[in-house]
C-alpha cells in the first residue's frame, strides 16, 4: 500500500505501465493516457480525503454483448466480452463503518452507513442503493464488510449499453472482496452479489450477464440454466486475426427513462413461461411452446410470444457464435451477428421505445451500418436496447468511412474502436 503521493510517483515513474498495457490493450500513447487518468484520480482522492491516506486502486470493465440479447434474465445462454473501458476506484479503508463514494461528474458523494443494511425505497434508482445492496449481500453470505472512502472515475458510457451500472456494482464488490475478505469470493460470486444489489436494492430486474462479463473478463459464454451456478467458458477471440475492428457507437439516447421497457421484456417472457407452469422460459420445452402458440397468444398477447421466439432463437445463436469463433469461421460469425440483430429488432422489439417513437437513434445507427458495410462485416443493437449503443464488426478497409459516417450523424467521438479486455474486476497492483 502507498500513500497518495507515493502512488502518484510510482505511476509517473512507469511502475504501472505494464498493468496499463494489459488492462487497456494499450500502445505507448494509450499507456500515457492512462497514467494521466490515474494520476488525476489519485489527486482527486487526496483533495477529498487527505494526502496522507494509504490507497489502492481497483478497476472493473464495461462489457459488450455479442449474442443472447435479453436471454440471461430467463436463464438463457449469452456470449459477451469485457472491453477496455472501465471504472476505476481509488480506495482507502476507514474505521467509521461508513462507505463514501464520490464519483467524477457528480456533485454529491454517496454515503452509506453499514450499520443500516435494510432496503431503502427512497434510494431505489440511486448508486447508494447499489453500495448498500452489495455490502448487505456480502454480509449475508458470511463475508466481512467495513468502511472505506473512494473516488471513482469511469469512461464506460452511462446509459450506453456497455453496462456502466454493472461495472459500478462490480467494482464496489471487488473493493469489499479485496479490502476485507482477502478475495474469498470468486468473480462469478461477485457478479451474483452485484445482481442481487441491482434487483433488490436498486429496483431494476436485470439478469446476470452484465455483471458476470465485467467481473470475469475476457470473451465468454455464460449458460444460466442454473443461475446459482452459471457455466462460464472463456473463448479466445482476436478480431485482428480477421482484419476486423469492434466498433461501439453511442447514438446519444439515454437509458434513464427506460426501466419499464426493460422490465416488460422480462415480465412478458415470464408470462409465457407461466402459461406452461414454469418460472422462466429456459424451463419450457421449445417444441411444446411452438405447438401451443395459438393458445399462448390468446393468453399473453402477441408481443410476449414474439419475445419468446426471440429468446429460444438467440440462445441457440449464442452457442453457435461460440462454435463459429472456436472454428475460426468468421463468415458464419458475421451472419449470426446480423441474424441476432434482426431478431432483437423484429421480435424482441427493443430497437426503440414506443413511449418515444420519434427517437430512434439505435435503429438509425443499424441502418447506417448496413449502408456503409453492405455485404461485409456485421452489425446489431446490443445490450438493453431502446436507446444507447450499437455494435459493429468493421473490416479495416472500411473503418475510416464507418467512423466518419457515425460521427457525422451522432457527433464527434461517438464511435469507439474497442478491444476485448482479458481481465475482469481487479486490484490494479495485482496485474503488475
Amino acid at each position: 500500500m502507498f500513500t497518495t503521493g507515493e502512488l502518484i510517483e510510482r505511476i509517473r515513474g512507469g511502475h504501472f505501465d505494464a498493468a496499463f498495457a494489459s488492462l487497456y490493450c494499450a500502445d505507448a500513447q494509450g499507456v500515457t493516457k492512462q497514467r494521466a487518468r490515474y494520476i488525476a484520480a489519485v489527486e482527486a482522492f487526496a483533495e477529498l480525503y487527505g494526502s496522507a491516506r494509504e490507497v489502492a486502486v481497483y478497476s472493473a470493465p464495461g462489457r459488450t454483448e455479442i449474442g443472447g440479447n435479453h436471454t440471461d434474465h430467463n436463464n438463457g445462454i449469452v456470449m459477451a466480452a469485457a472491453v477496455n473501458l472501465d471504472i476505476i476506484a481509488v480506495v482507502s479503508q476507514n474505521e467509521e463503518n461508513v462507505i463514501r463514494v464520490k464519483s467524477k461528474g457528480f456533485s454529491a458523494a454517496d454515503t452509506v452507513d453499514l450499520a443500516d443494511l435494510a432496503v431503502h425505497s427512497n434510494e431505489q434508482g440511486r448508486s447508494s442503493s447499489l453500495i448498500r445492496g452489495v455490502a448487505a449481500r456480502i454480509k449475508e453470505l458470511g463475508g466481512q464488510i467495513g468502511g472505506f472512502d473512494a473516488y471513482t472515475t469511469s469512461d464506460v458510457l452511462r446509459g450506453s449499453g456497455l453496462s456502466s451500472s454493472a461495472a459500478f456494482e462490480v467494482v464496489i464488490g471487488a473493493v469489499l472482496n479485496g479490502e476485507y475478505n482477502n478475495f474469498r469470493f470468486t468473480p462469478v460470486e461477485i457478479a451474483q452479489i452485484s445482481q442481487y444489489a441491482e434487483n433488490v436494492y436498486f429496483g431494476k430486474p436485470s439478469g446476470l450477464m452484465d455483471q458476470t462479463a465485467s467481473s470475469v473478463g475476457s470473451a465468454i459464454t455464460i449458460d444460466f440454466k442454473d443461475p446459482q451456478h452459471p457455466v462460464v467458458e472463456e473463448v479466445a477471440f482476436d478480431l485482428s486475426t480477421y482484419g476486423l475492428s469492434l466498433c461501439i457507437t453511442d447514438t446519444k439516447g439515454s437509458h434513464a427513462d427506460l426501466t419499464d421497457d426493460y422490465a416488460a421484456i422480462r415480465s412478458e417472457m415470464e408470462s409465457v413461461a407461466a402459461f406452461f407452469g414454469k418460472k422462466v422460459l429456459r424451463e419450457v420445452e421449445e417444441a411444446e411452446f411452438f405447438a401451443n402458440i395459438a393458445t399462448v397468444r390468446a393468453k399473453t398477447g402477441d408481443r410476449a410470444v414474439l419475445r419468446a421466439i426471440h429468446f429460444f432463437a438467440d440462445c441457440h445463436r449464442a452457442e453457435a457464435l461460440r462454435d463459429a469463433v472456436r472454428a475460426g469461421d468468421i463468415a458464419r460469425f458475421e451472419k449470426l451477428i446480423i441474424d441476432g440483430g434482426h431478431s432483437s429488432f423484429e421480435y424482441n422489439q427493443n430497437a426503440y421505445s414506443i413511449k418515444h417513437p420519434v427517437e430512434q437513434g439505435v435503429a438509425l445507427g443499424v441502418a447506417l451500418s448496413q449502408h456503409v458495410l453492405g455485404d461485409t462485416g456485421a452489425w446489431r443493437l446490443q445490450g438493453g436496447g431502446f436507446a444507447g449503443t450499437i455494435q459493429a464488426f468493421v473490416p479495416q478497409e472500411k473503418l475510416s468511412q464507418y467512423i466518419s459516417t457515425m460521427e457525422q450523424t451522432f457527433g464527434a467521438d461517438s464511435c469507439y474502436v474497442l478491444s476485448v479486455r482479458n481481465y475482469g474486476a481487479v486490484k490494479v497492483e495485482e496485474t503488475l
Side-chain angles (χ1 to χ4, degrees), residues 1 10 131 219 293 332 336 356:
M1 295 281 282
R10 288 182 65 82
I131 298 168
I293 278 184
R332 173 71 172 154
L336 288 164
H356 309 290

Side-chain angles (χ1 to χ4, degrees), residues 6-7 9-20 35 432:
E6 290 169 342
L7 183 57
E9 287 308 308
R10 288 182 65 82
I11 295 170
R12 283 199 178 115
H15 291 275
F16 282 71
D17 286 2
F20 295 155
R35 277 190 204 165
L432 293 172

Side-chain angles (χ1 to χ4, degrees), residues 150-163:
Y151 176 83
T152 72
T153 181
S154 176
D155 57 11
V156 184
L157 309 172
R158 293 184 70 242
S160 68
L162 293 175
S163 294

Side-chain angles (χ1 to χ4, degrees), residues 64-77:
T64 185
E65 169 195 284
I66 297 174
N69 185 236
H70 277 284
T71 61
D72 58 329
H73 49 60
N74 266 251
N75 297 10
I77 304 171

Side-chain angles (χ1 to χ4, degrees), residues 30 110 143 157 176 187 198 205 235 245 250 286-287 309 375 385 390 392:
D110 290 299
L157 309 172
L176 287 170
E198 186 157 329
V235 185
S245 291
D250 179 11
E286 184 176 355
I309 291 172
D375 59 359
I390 63 164

Side-chain angles (χ1 to χ4, degrees), residues 252-275:
K252 306 301 184 183
S254 172
H255 285 189
D257 186 35
L258 298 174
T259 297
D260 291 346
D261 294 275
Y262 301 136
I265 294 177
R266 180 173 183 168
S267 65
E268 288 178 16
M269 287 184 180
E270 291 175 353
S271 73
V272 174
F275 176 90

